[in-house]
């Protein structure tokens, strides 16, 4: 399905999707960027919950995003 974004960034979610997810004008949606796309979910997404917990745990252990990415590159290189 395709929809058009309006001047203020508003989009229309097709009626069949709204109905199947029981969405109405009071529904709260979580907006998450996933790569080059956008994920809309009718509540806080699992990704956001897990990434928030992971981020807090990493900070508590003094780990930075840069160090995690460097470690990830090393692991990927070893597995290749």
């Amino acid at each position: 399905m395709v929809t058009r974004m309006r001047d203020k960034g508003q989009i229309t979610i097709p009626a069949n999707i709204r109905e199947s997810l029981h969405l109405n004008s009071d529904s709260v949606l979580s907006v998450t960027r996933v790569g080059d796309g956008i994920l809309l979910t009718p509540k806080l997404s699992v990704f956001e919950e897990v990434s928030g917990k992971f981020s807090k745990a990493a900070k508590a252990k003094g780990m930075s995003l840069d160090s995690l990415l460097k470690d990830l590159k090393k692991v990927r290189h070893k597995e290749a």
Side-chain angles (χ1 to χ4, degrees), residues 15-61:
N16 63 331
I17 294 175
R18 292 192 316 264
E19 291 166 3
S20 69
L21 294 173
H22 309 289
L23 300 175
N24 59 47
S25 61
D26 293 329
S27 296
V28 175
L29 299 176
S30 174
V31 181
T32 307
R33 181 177 176 177
V34 180
D36 292 335
I38 300 168
L39 174 66
L40 294 173
T41 52
K43 58 183 177 184
L44 188 62
S45 73
V46 172
F47 172 78
E48 288 176 321
E49 289 180 28
V50 170
S51 66
K53 289 177 183 179
F54 181 81
S55 181
K56 286 180 185 177
K59 282 183 181 180
K61 295 190 180 226

Side-chain angles (χ1 to χ4, degrees), residues 54-69:
F54 181 81
S55 181
K56 286 180 185 177
K59 282 183 181 180
K61 295 190 180 226
M63 301 169 80
S64 70
L65 177 60
D66 287 336
S67 67
L68 291 171
L69 291 174

